[in-house]
């Protein structure tokens, strides 16, 4: 048994990795927007993998608000919750309450069940930049980056990359800085997010979900960050709708 356990894992893992070296879509970040995008892309039959640097995908959704593990979702995002099998209950007006641990687990399950592959403990440290396009990801083990070890990365090629790194806008920043290019944002640069304003932020999260450079799409909090819009606090309808829109735009572009 000792030999079988190790052999099985090694064979299976490297087979999985080899099958995902060339993708239709590579998603950076396993927050709610990236997970929803992974679900819809896999459902549409695209070869999609998501790279998350933490052990557990889910980003900022596990902890609810200040670790009170419930979140709010508005009615226009309820069809997504229903499709992904997430339970919710009405609170007041347009606000519905969702247990954040249940919702996060459900998003991960739905995305992987639909056929998306998740690589956790991977840090995306750079992109492939070819013929004035983003053409893939440069990845390394997250602990390698954290330890500051000088170990060279591997490359994942992808027709489209989705930047879903949340508040940091890490991928958009490095694409603009390293290659001296202008992004499709109001200033051509990563503007950075503004303070909290819920209705405005929820609307613009979806509006700002777009292709910001050839081959590079942006979703979720990063969509608002790159375009200089507001944050919204523990309300997640915009994140879910942004992930769905990103998947649709990417499908249309492939
Ligand atoms: C691999 C990386 C890298 C990297 C980061 O922040 P997230 O939850 O992302 P979104 O945009 O889907 O959701 C935002 C939401 O959680 C939120 O913060 C809200 C609604 N805030 C409102 C407010 O006012 O604060 O997840 C991003 C994920 C995380 O899991 C990171 O670990 C991961 O991306 N990540 N993974 N390589 N270079 N950078
Ligand atoms: Fe946040």
């Amino acid at each position: 048994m000792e030999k079988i356990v190790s052999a099985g894992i090694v064979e299976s893992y490297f087979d999985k990795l080899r099958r995902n070296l060339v993708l239709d879509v590579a998603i950076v970040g396993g927050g709610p927007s990236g997970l929803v995008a992974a679900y819809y892309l896999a459902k549409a039959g695209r070869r999609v993998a998501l790279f998350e640097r933490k052990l557990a995908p889910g980003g900022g959704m596990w902890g609810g608000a200040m670790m009170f593990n419930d979140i709010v979702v508005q009615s226009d995002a309820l069809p997504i919750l229903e499709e992904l099998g997430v339970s919710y209950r009405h609170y007041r007006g347009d606000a519905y309450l969702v247990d954040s641990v249940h919702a996060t687990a459900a998003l991960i399950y739905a995305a992987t069940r639909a056929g998306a592959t998740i690589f956790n403990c991977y840090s995306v440290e750079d992109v492939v930049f070819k013929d004035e396009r983003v053409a893939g990801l440069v990845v390394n083990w997250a602990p390698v980056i954290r330890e500051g070890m000088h170990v060279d990365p591997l490359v994942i090629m992808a027709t489209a990359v989705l930047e879903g790194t949340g508040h940091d806008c890490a991928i958009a920043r490095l694409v603009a800085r390293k290659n001296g290019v202008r992004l499709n944002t109001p200033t051509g640069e990563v503007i950075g997010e503004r303070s909290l304003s819920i209705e405005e932020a929820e609307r613009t999260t979806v509006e700002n979900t777009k292709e910001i450079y050839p081959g590079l799409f942006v979703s979720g909090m990063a969509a608002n960050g790159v375009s200089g819009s507001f944050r919204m606090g523990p309300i997640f309808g915009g994140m879910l709708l942004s992930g769905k829109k990103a998947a649709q735009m990417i499908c249309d572009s492939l």
Side-chain angles (χ1 to χ4, degrees):
M1 200 58 180
E2 282 77 2
K3 286 179 185 161
I4 294 177
V5 170
S6 300
I9 290 170
V10 170
E11 257 175 55
S12 163
Y13 184 82
F14 285 99
D15 180 52
K16 180 162 65 181
L17 185 56
R18 193 167 43 241
R19 282 187 282 111
N20 285 281
L21 290 176
V22 179
L23 295 166
D24 294 325
V25 190
I27 300 176
V28 191
S33 70
L35 287 168
V36 168
Y39 166 81
Y40 283 105
L41 285 160
K43 189 181 164 206
R46 306 301 174 171
R47 180 174 288 281
V48 53
L50 182 154
F51 299 85
E52 166 56 51
R53 76 174 158 210
K54 299 226 166 107
L55 184 56
M61 196 145 126
W62 291 111
M66 253 184 85
M67 298 194 281
F68 305 156
N69 64 357
D70 286 302
I71 53 174
V72 170
V73 171
Q74 318 85 305
S75 56
D76 54 358
L78 296 182
I80 299 179
L81 293 184
E82 278 161 24
E83 179 161 357
L84 274 61
V86 182
S87 309
Y88 61 84
R89 66 184 191 282
H90 183 242
Y91 181 51
R92 287 182 196 159
D94 196 32
Y96 293 76
L97 286 168
V98 186
D99 179 294
S100 68
V101 173
H102 163 68
T104 311
L107 261 50
I108 296 167
Y109 180 59
T112 50
R113 190 166 181 209
T117 305
I118 296 180
F119 290 96
N120 58 345
C121 309
Y122 273 54
S123 218
V124 176
E125 61 167 67
D126 208 339
V127 300
V128 181
F129 193 82
K130 259 181 130 66
D131 304 325
E132 303 299 315
R133 278 187 72 82
V134 172
L137 301 180
V138 176
V139 300
N140 215 324
W141 293 119
V144 163
I145 305 289
R146 204 169 49 236
E147 290 296 316
M149 290 193 281
H150 187 163
V151 177
D152 276 343
L154 280 178
V155 171
I156 307 286
M157 295 304 289
T159 310
V161 166
L162 177 61
E163 144 73 291
T165 65
H167 294 275
D168 292 350
C169 314
I171 302 305
R173 278 185 206 284
L174 78 83
V175 167
R177 173 174 51 82
K178 283 196 161 188
N179 306 293
V181 296
R182 289 180 67 76
L183 304 175
N184 176 20
T185 67
T187 62
E189 293 163 4
V190 174
I191 298 171
E193 75 189 30
R194 299 184 67 183
S195 297
L196 188 145
S197 181
I198 292 183
E199 281 90 351
E200 175 84 353
E202 285 293 279
R203 185 174 52 74
T204 58
T205 302
V206 180
E207 275 174 23
N208 291 329
T209 298
K210 60 184 177 183
E211 190 171 18
I212 52 166
Y213 192 75
L216 180 65
F217 295 76
V218 65
S219 68
M221 202 57 232
N224 271 352
V226 296
S227 287
S229 187
F230 293 88
R231 67 186 300 186
M232 69 296 290
I235 184 161
F236 279 75
M239 297 298 134
L240 307 176
L241 292 164
S242 167
K244 184 172 183 183
K245 181 181 173 188
Q248 189 59 58
M249 292 183 87
I250 292 171
C251 277
D252 292 346
S253 81
L254 290 174

Short mmCIF file of all heavy atoms in Angstrom, two decimals, residues 28-34 51-54 58-61 122-124 164-167 219-222 231-233 235-236 239, ligand 1:
data_model
loop_
_atom_site.label_atom_id
_atom_site.label_comp_id
_atom_site.label_asym_id
_atom_site.label_seq_id
_atom_site.Cartn_x
_atom_site.Cartn_y
_atom_site.Cartn_z
N VAL A 28 -6.33 33.48 -12.70
CA VAL A 28 -5.45 33.77 -11.56
C VAL A 28 -6.31 34.22 -10.39
O VAL A 28 -6.94 35.28 -10.44
CB VAL A 28 -4.44 34.88 -11.89
CG1 VAL A 28 -3.38 34.95 -10.78
CG2 VAL A 28 -3.78 34.66 -13.24
N GLY A 29 -6.32 33.39 -9.34
CA GLY A 29 -7.05 33.77 -8.13
C GLY A 29 -8.36 33.00 -7.99
O GLY A 29 -9.19 33.01 -8.90
N GLY A 30 -8.51 32.37 -6.84
CA GLY A 30 -9.70 31.56 -6.57
C GLY A 30 -10.69 32.24 -5.66
O GLY A 30 -11.28 31.60 -4.80
N GLY A 31 -10.88 33.54 -5.83
CA GLY A 31 -11.96 34.24 -5.12
C GLY A 31 -13.28 33.94 -5.80
O GLY A 31 -13.35 33.17 -6.77
N PRO A 32 -14.37 34.54 -5.29
CA PRO A 32 -15.68 34.23 -5.87
C PRO A 32 -15.79 34.52 -7.36
O PRO A 32 -16.39 33.71 -8.09
CB PRO A 32 -16.64 35.12 -5.05
CG PRO A 32 -15.78 36.09 -4.31
CD PRO A 32 -14.46 35.44 -4.14
N SER A 33 -15.22 35.62 -7.83
CA SER A 33 -15.37 35.92 -9.27
C SER A 33 -14.62 34.90 -10.12
O SER A 33 -15.13 34.44 -11.15
CB SER A 33 -14.93 37.35 -9.58
OG SER A 33 -13.53 37.49 -9.46
N GLY A 34 -13.42 34.52 -9.69
CA GLY A 34 -12.65 33.53 -10.45
C GLY A 34 -13.32 32.17 -10.45
O GLY A 34 -13.34 31.47 -11.47
N PHE A 51 -5.53 29.05 -10.82
CA PHE A 51 -4.31 28.99 -10.01
C PHE A 51 -4.48 29.88 -8.78
O PHE A 51 -4.72 31.09 -8.92
CB PHE A 51 -3.10 29.43 -10.87
CG PHE A 51 -2.91 28.52 -12.05
CD1 PHE A 51 -3.62 28.74 -13.23
CD2 PHE A 51 -2.08 27.42 -11.96
CE1 PHE A 51 -3.49 27.87 -14.32
CE2 PHE A 51 -1.94 26.55 -13.03
CZ PHE A 51 -2.64 26.78 -14.21
N GLU A 52 -4.34 29.26 -7.62
CA GLU A 52 -4.58 29.96 -6.35
C GLU A 52 -3.38 29.77 -5.44
O GLU A 52 -2.95 28.64 -5.21
CB GLU A 52 -5.85 29.40 -5.69
CG GLU A 52 -6.04 29.77 -4.24
CD GLU A 52 -6.03 31.28 -3.98
OE1 GLU A 52 -6.76 32.01 -4.66
OE2 GLU A 52 -5.25 31.72 -3.10
N ARG A 53 -2.87 30.86 -4.89
CA ARG A 53 -1.64 30.71 -4.13
C ARG A 53 -1.85 30.18 -2.71
O ARG A 53 -0.94 29.62 -2.11
CB ARG A 53 -0.85 32.02 -4.12
CG ARG A 53 -1.38 33.07 -3.22
CD ARG A 53 -0.41 34.24 -3.21
NE ARG A 53 -1.12 35.42 -2.78
CZ ARG A 53 -0.82 36.65 -3.16
NH1 ARG A 53 0.18 36.85 -4.00
NH2 ARG A 53 -1.51 37.65 -2.72
N LYS A 54 -3.06 30.31 -2.20
CA LYS A 54 -3.31 29.79 -0.85
C LYS A 54 -3.64 28.29 -0.90
O LYS A 54 -3.93 27.75 -1.95
CB LYS A 54 -4.49 30.54 -0.23
CG LYS A 54 -4.20 32.03 -0.09
CD LYS A 54 -4.60 32.53 1.27
CE LYS A 54 -4.01 33.91 1.52
NZ LYS A 54 -5.03 34.94 1.46
N GLY A 58 -11.00 30.36 -2.48
CA GLY A 58 -12.18 30.99 -1.88
C GLY A 58 -11.97 32.48 -1.62
O GLY A 58 -12.91 33.23 -1.48
N GLY A 59 -10.70 32.88 -1.55
CA GLY A 59 -10.37 34.30 -1.41
C GLY A 59 -11.05 34.92 -0.21
O GLY A 59 -11.05 34.36 0.90
N GLY A 60 -11.66 36.08 -0.42
CA GLY A 60 -12.24 36.86 0.67
C GLY A 60 -13.66 36.47 1.03
O GLY A 60 -14.35 37.23 1.71
N MET A 61 -14.11 35.29 0.56
CA MET A 61 -15.51 34.96 0.82
C MET A 61 -15.69 34.11 2.08
O MET A 61 -16.76 34.17 2.71
CB MET A 61 -16.09 34.23 -0.39
CG MET A 61 -17.59 34.19 -0.38
SD MET A 61 -18.28 34.30 -2.00
CE MET A 61 -19.31 32.88 -2.02
N TYR A 122 -0.19 27.54 -5.81
CA TYR A 122 0.56 28.08 -6.95
C TYR A 122 0.51 29.61 -6.89
O TYR A 122 -0.58 30.18 -6.78
CB TYR A 122 -0.10 27.68 -8.28
CG TYR A 122 0.32 26.35 -8.85
CD1 TYR A 122 0.23 25.20 -8.10
CD2 TYR A 122 0.79 26.27 -10.16
CE1 TYR A 122 0.60 23.97 -8.64
CE2 TYR A 122 1.15 25.05 -10.70
CZ TYR A 122 1.06 23.90 -9.94
OH TYR A 122 1.42 22.70 -10.47
N SER A 123 1.67 30.21 -7.03
CA SER A 123 1.71 31.67 -7.15
C SER A 123 1.97 32.02 -8.60
O SER A 123 2.89 31.47 -9.22
CB SER A 123 2.86 32.20 -6.29
OG SER A 123 2.47 33.38 -5.68
N VAL A 124 1.16 32.90 -9.14
CA VAL A 124 1.43 33.39 -10.49
C VAL A 124 2.40 34.55 -10.33
O VAL A 124 2.06 35.58 -9.74
CB VAL A 124 0.14 33.81 -11.20
CG1 VAL A 124 0.45 34.40 -12.56
CG2 VAL A 124 -0.81 32.62 -11.32
N GLY A 164 -8.04 37.66 -11.57
CA GLY A 164 -9.04 37.68 -10.50
C GLY A 164 -8.37 37.73 -9.15
O GLY A 164 -8.78 37.06 -8.22
N THR A 165 -7.33 38.56 -9.03
CA THR A 165 -6.53 38.58 -7.79
C THR A 165 -7.09 39.51 -6.73
O THR A 165 -6.46 39.72 -5.69
CB THR A 165 -5.05 38.95 -8.06
OG1 THR A 165 -5.00 40.30 -8.54
CG2 THR A 165 -4.41 38.01 -9.07
N GLY A 166 -8.27 40.08 -6.97
CA GLY A 166 -8.91 40.89 -5.92
C GLY A 166 -8.28 42.26 -5.76
O GLY A 166 -7.79 42.86 -6.73
N HIS A 167 -8.26 42.75 -4.52
CA HIS A 167 -7.85 44.13 -4.24
C HIS A 167 -6.47 44.47 -4.83
O HIS A 167 -6.22 45.63 -5.19
CB HIS A 167 -7.81 44.38 -2.73
CG HIS A 167 -9.16 44.32 -2.08
ND1 HIS A 167 -10.02 45.39 -2.02
CD2 HIS A 167 -9.82 43.30 -1.47
CE1 HIS A 167 -11.14 45.04 -1.39
NE2 HIS A 167 -11.04 43.78 -1.05
N SER A 219 -11.76 40.47 -13.59
CA SER A 219 -13.06 40.27 -12.93
C SER A 219 -12.97 40.65 -11.46
O SER A 219 -11.89 40.82 -10.90
CB SER A 219 -13.49 38.80 -13.05
OG SER A 219 -12.64 37.96 -12.27
N GLY A 220 -14.14 40.77 -10.83
CA GLY A 220 -14.24 40.95 -9.39
C GLY A 220 -13.65 42.26 -8.90
O GLY A 220 -13.72 43.29 -9.56
N MET A 221 -13.08 42.20 -7.69
CA MET A 221 -12.54 43.41 -7.07
C MET A 221 -11.43 44.02 -7.92
O MET A 221 -11.25 45.25 -7.96
CB MET A 221 -12.03 43.07 -5.67
CG MET A 221 -11.92 44.23 -4.73
SD MET A 221 -13.46 45.13 -4.48
CE MET A 221 -12.87 46.79 -4.83
N ALA A 222 -10.69 43.17 -8.62
CA ALA A 222 -9.62 43.68 -9.49
C ALA A 222 -10.19 44.51 -10.64
O ALA A 222 -9.54 45.45 -11.11
CB ALA A 222 -8.78 42.52 -10.04
N ARG A 231 -15.02 50.23 -3.53
CA ARG A 231 -15.20 48.93 -2.87
C ARG A 231 -16.61 48.88 -2.32
O ARG A 231 -17.29 49.90 -2.24
CB ARG A 231 -14.15 48.73 -1.78
CG ARG A 231 -14.30 49.69 -0.62
CD ARG A 231 -13.17 49.55 0.37
NE ARG A 231 -13.10 48.20 0.92
CZ ARG A 231 -12.26 47.86 1.90
NH1 ARG A 231 -11.44 48.77 2.42
NH2 ARG A 231 -12.23 46.63 2.34
N MET A 232 -17.02 47.66 -1.92
CA MET A 232 -18.44 47.50 -1.53
C MET A 232 -18.67 46.80 -0.21
O MET A 232 -19.82 46.64 0.21
CB MET A 232 -19.20 46.76 -2.66
CG MET A 232 -18.84 45.31 -2.85
SD MET A 232 -17.14 45.09 -3.38
CE MET A 232 -17.15 45.72 -5.03
N GLY A 233 -17.62 46.34 0.45
CA GLY A 233 -17.85 45.60 1.70
C GLY A 233 -18.41 44.21 1.43
O GLY A 233 -18.31 43.70 0.32
N ILE A 235 -20.77 42.38 0.41
CA ILE A 235 -21.91 42.10 -0.47
C ILE A 235 -21.32 41.52 -1.75
O ILE A 235 -20.35 42.05 -2.29
CB ILE A 235 -22.76 43.37 -0.67
CG1 ILE A 235 -23.99 43.08 -1.49
CG2 ILE A 235 -21.97 44.52 -1.26
CD1 ILE A 235 -25.08 44.14 -1.35
N PHE A 236 -21.85 40.39 -2.21
CA PHE A 236 -21.12 39.59 -3.19
C PHE A 236 -21.83 39.40 -4.53
O PHE A 236 -21.30 38.70 -5.41
CB PHE A 236 -20.77 38.23 -2.58
CG PHE A 236 -19.55 38.30 -1.70
CD1 PHE A 236 -19.62 38.87 -0.44
CD2 PHE A 236 -18.32 37.85 -2.14
CE1 PHE A 236 -18.50 38.97 0.36
CE2 PHE A 236 -17.19 37.94 -1.36
CZ PHE A 236 -17.27 38.50 -0.10
N MET A 239 -19.63 40.32 -7.46
CA MET A 239 -18.53 39.37 -7.71
C MET A 239 -19.03 38.20 -8.56
O MET A 239 -18.36 37.76 -9.50
CB MET A 239 -17.98 38.83 -6.38
CG MET A 239 -17.36 39.88 -5.49
SD MET A 239 -15.95 40.66 -6.28
CE MET A 239 -16.32 42.37 -5.94
C1 LIG B 1 -2.18 33.14 -7.33
C2 LIG B 1 -3.29 34.85 -6.25
C3 LIG B 1 -2.30 35.78 -6.63
C4 LIG B 1 -1.21 35.28 -7.41
C5 LIG B 1 -3.75 36.84 -5.46
O1 LIG B 1 -9.89 38.80 -3.32
P1 LIG B 1 -10.64 37.63 -3.85
O2 LIG B 1 -11.72 37.06 -3.00
O3 LIG B 1 -11.18 37.99 -5.33
P2 LIG B 1 -12.58 38.46 -5.95
O4 LIG B 1 -12.32 39.71 -6.69
O5 LIG B 1 -13.18 37.34 -6.69
O6 LIG B 1 -13.53 38.76 -4.70
C6 LIG B 1 -13.35 39.89 -3.93
C7 LIG B 1 -14.04 39.71 -2.57
O7 LIG B 1 -13.56 38.57 -1.90
C8 LIG B 1 -13.77 40.94 -1.75
O8 LIG B 1 -12.64 41.09 -1.30
C9 LIG B 1 -14.78 41.93 -1.57
C10 LIG B 1 -16.16 41.77 -2.08
N1 LIG B 1 -14.40 43.01 -0.92
C11 LIG B 1 -15.14 44.19 -0.68
C12 LIG B 1 -14.37 45.13 0.23
O9 LIG B 1 -14.86 46.28 0.39
O10 LIG B 1 -13.30 44.76 0.78
O11 LIG B 1 -9.64 36.44 -4.16
C13 LIG B 1 -8.45 36.66 -4.89
C14 LIG B 1 -7.62 35.40 -4.78
C15 LIG B 1 -7.10 35.16 -3.35
O12 LIG B 1 -7.49 33.85 -2.96
C16 LIG B 1 -5.58 35.27 -3.48
O13 LIG B 1 -4.89 34.38 -2.64
C17 LIG B 1 -5.37 34.97 -4.94
O14 LIG B 1 -6.48 35.56 -5.60
N2 LIG B 1 -4.16 35.55 -5.52
N3 LIG B 1 -3.25 33.56 -6.59
N4 LIG B 1 -1.19 33.97 -7.75
N5 LIG B 1 -0.23 36.10 -7.84
N6 LIG B 1 -2.60 37.00 -6.13
#
